[in-house]
Amino acid sequence: MTDCLFCKIVEGKIPSKKVYEDDKVFAFEDVNPQAPTHILLVPKRHFEGLNKAVPEDAEILGYLQLVAAKIGRERGIEDGYRTVLNVGPRSGQSVFHLHLHLIGGRDMTWPPG
Ligand code: AMP
């Protein structure tokens, strides 16, 4: 999608600190980290958010979680991290290309704000 920030990051048109890439997923450091580890994982194929997902998206949604778990292992944060999808403006979603936040490396509180 031409006017999407995360599509441009995936395409390398906007710089990012890449953490992981394969044919389906691109992961990079969040520019405004909320914890020592804060990585965004995005499907390379543009789709807006979980509220727009269809049954065919099940594989990529599960795969994003598995890549997050792999990065969590590599970062040594398996004693506690969160994977978070903000869905819709009231959740705080500000970029409308689905992205999974991987947040860890510090103690967390519940419920989230
Ligand atoms: P959300 O609020 O769930 O839509 O998350 C969007 C996230 O994208 C925020 O955590 C931002 O800090 C992050 N972000 C925005 N622009 C960039 C960028 N150019 N590079 C890396 N992260 C970004």
Side-chain angles (χ1 to χ4, degrees):
M1 195 181 166
T2 51
D3 204 25
C4 168
L5 174 63
F6 287 172
C7 283
K8 287 179 183 161
I9 286 179
V10 168
E11 291 162 10
K13 292 178 179 160
I14 290 179
S16 68
K17 289 188 184 162
K18 182 168 90 173
V19 172
Y20 175 88
E21 180 176 14
D22 63 26
D23 56 329
K24 295 187 281 288
V25 171
F26 191 87
F28 54 101
E29 304 280 353
D30 195 294
V31 78
N32 182 24
Q34 302 301 310
T37 292
H38 189 169
I39 292 165
L40 302 175
L41 297 95
V42 305
K44 286 189 166 177
R45 176 176 59 82
H46 179 89
F47 85 92
E48 204 176 300
L50 188 64
N51 49 0
K52 298 286 162 57
V54 295
E56 291 71 38
D57 296 322
E59 187 179 340
I60 186 67
L61 289 168
Y63 187 62
L64 284 169
Q65 297 281 359
L66 290 174
V67 174
K70 170 182 154 59
I71 296 171
R73 269 194 301 280
E74 290 168 358
R75 292 277 171 130
I77 57 168
E78 285 186 293
D79 58 341
Y81 61 77
R82 287 196 185 141
T83 60
V84 176
L85 288 177
N86 289 326
V87 185
R90 288 189 76 193
S91 75
Q93 185 177 6
S94 60
V95 180
F96 291 87
H97 177 136
L98 184 137
H99 48 283
L100 186 67
H101 294 258
L102 169 62
I103 300 169
R106 64 164 168 81
D107 294 336
M108 303 205 190
T109 58
W110 189 262

